[in-house]
Amino acid sequence: MTEYATIVVETRGRVGWITLNRPEVLNALDTQIMRDVVAAATAFDADEGIGAIVVTGSERAFAAGADIKEMESKTAREMVEDDHFGDWSRFAAVRTPVVAAVSGYALGGGCELAMMCDIILAADTAKFALPELNLGVMPGMGGTQRLIRAVGYAKAADIILTGRRIDAVEAERSGLVSRVVPASDLLEEAGKIADTIASKSLPSVYAAKAALDAAMETPLAEGLRFEKEAFAALFDTEDQKEGMAAFREKRAPEFRNR
Ligand code: CAA
């Protein structure tokens, strides 16, 4: 398995694990960690033995934001020409479902990275914020667009314009996170969610994720058309025949992922 400078990567069964590993800066997201996460996630995505990915940080911090020290001296022109956060769009575009297991700080880019994932599982110690306005900037890794879709305008405006932190309970109540678990159970629970997803037929998982993503982009009628076509296409897979035969025969399906 490839070694990376800023992350630890491992495979457990059909699940690929990416652990952010810049403890000295609370997993601040610099260009190197962006490249490493994108490389690891796209490698897992290309591997048919992988059915789900988990991204996590440390107990203290999922990630405390984009690396402020790396950005501090940049000009507007450099930010645009470098497309400073551009590679993250490749992470957001992986076909494989991604579970973010968040403990401690998920601030700024850390919260935005979690929001690029499909499911956010929060430890009861998790703290979310988009504090970029405190730095004289604004969210720049998707925060203004993804938070509003997750929690609605009222809550998103409150969180972004004040920069205040919300705890795991408020994050769950608001719809930002899927579930909250005790911090000591976070990785085990994230693993269970990922194992469950990875046990299903890959074509159906890819199609369902693509349809969920489409819902974020399209009006209802277009989204429903997308769903109808994606649903129908699955009837040409071996796994659809196997899944439905297994139901009829009252046994567990044995998916072949095609
Ligand atoms: N970038 C660079 N370094 C960071 C960092 C960041 N986002 N967050 C923390 N660090 C560094 C600190 O500078 C410190 O390094 P030194 O020991 O060399 O001083 C180390 O991590 C530990 O941090 P603290 O000493 O500050 O730890 P703390 O427990 O006192 O505070 C914290 C923790 C509240 C998370 C605090 O570190 C903090 O406020 N961090 C910045 C949070 C932030 O503003 N995030 C948004 C960044 S901008 C962004 O993300 C833009 C975007 O839209 C993508």
Side-chain angles (χ1 to χ4, degrees):
M1 183 148 296
T2 315
E3 296 271 327
Y4 297 93
T6 64
I7 59 175
V8 176
V9 169
E10 57 190 308
T11 299
R12 294 185 206 156
R14 289 179 48 77
V15 177
W17 285 73
I18 298 174
T19 304
L20 308 176
N21 190 32
R22 296 187 75 209
E24 67 289 357
V25 287
L26 304 179
N27 293 330
L29 303 170
D30 66 355
T31 304
Q32 185 62 49
I33 202 169
M34 172 173 70
R35 289 192 182 134
D36 287 352
V37 170
V38 169
T42 51
F44 281 140
D45 203 32
D47 181 345
E48 288 191 354
I50 296 293
I53 297 169
V54 178
V55 176
T56 193
S58 67
E59 253 178 72
R60 195 168 160 217
F62 178 73
D67 191 313
I68 298 169
K69 293 163 194 164
E70 185 186 52
M71 290 183 293
E72 186 182 353
S73 62
K74 301 251 184 202
T75 63
R77 189 185 174 132
E78 283 168 339
M79 290 304 274
V80 173
E81 282 178 354
D82 295 357
D83 190 10
H84 191 71
F85 299 128
D87 281 3
W88 286 118
S89 62
R90 295 178 50 214
F91 172 77
V94 298
R95 302 176 298 173
T96 310
V98 185
V99 178
V102 176
S103 176
Y105 297 113
L107 308 181
C111 180
E112 292 169 291
L113 174 60
M115 288 192 290
M116 288 176 210
C117 302
D118 302 288
I119 293 173
I120 304 179
L121 182 68
D124 51 10
T125 56
K127 295 172 265 295
F128 298 86
L130 292 176
E132 287 91 341
L133 269 66
N134 299 334
L135 298 165
V137 289
M138 61 175 279
M141 268 172 61
T144 59
Q145 305 305 299
R146 289 198 175 94
L147 187 64
I148 197 169
R149 284 164 169 79
V151 305
Y153 185 89
K155 203 72 169 182
D158 173 6
I159 291 169
I160 291 169
L161 297 177
T162 66
R164 76 181 175 90
R165 281 189 206 153
I166 64 170
D167 63 15
V169 171
E170 186 174 358
E172 186 185 28
R173 202 171 58 221
S174 309
L176 174 61
V177 311
S178 307
R179 310 182 201 175
V180 181
V181 295
S184 53
D185 299 345
L186 180 72
L187 297 183
E188 193 185 334
E189 291 301 320
K192 280 189 204 160
I193 294 172
D195 282 341
T196 301
I197 297 168
S199 73
K200 303 191 191 304
S201 160
L202 268 184
S204 70
V205 169
Y206 291 158
K209 172 165 170 164
L212 284 161
D213 286 347
M216 291 293 182
E217 312 269 355
T218 55
L220 180 62
E222 199 179 325
L224 291 173
R225 250 192 320 274
F226 184 99
E227 183 192 79
K228 189 193 246 181
E229 284 170 18
F231 177 74
L234 291 171
F235 283 74
D236 275 351
T237 63
E238 290 180 19
D239 284 348
Q240 175 267 330
K241 299 291 175 278
E242 166 61 12
M244 293 193 178
F247 172 79
R248 182 170 34 75
E249 291 161 13
K250 302 187 189 302
R251 60 174 174 82
E254 283 178 39
F255 292 126
R256 301 182 61 192
N257 296 319
R258 15 186 198 188

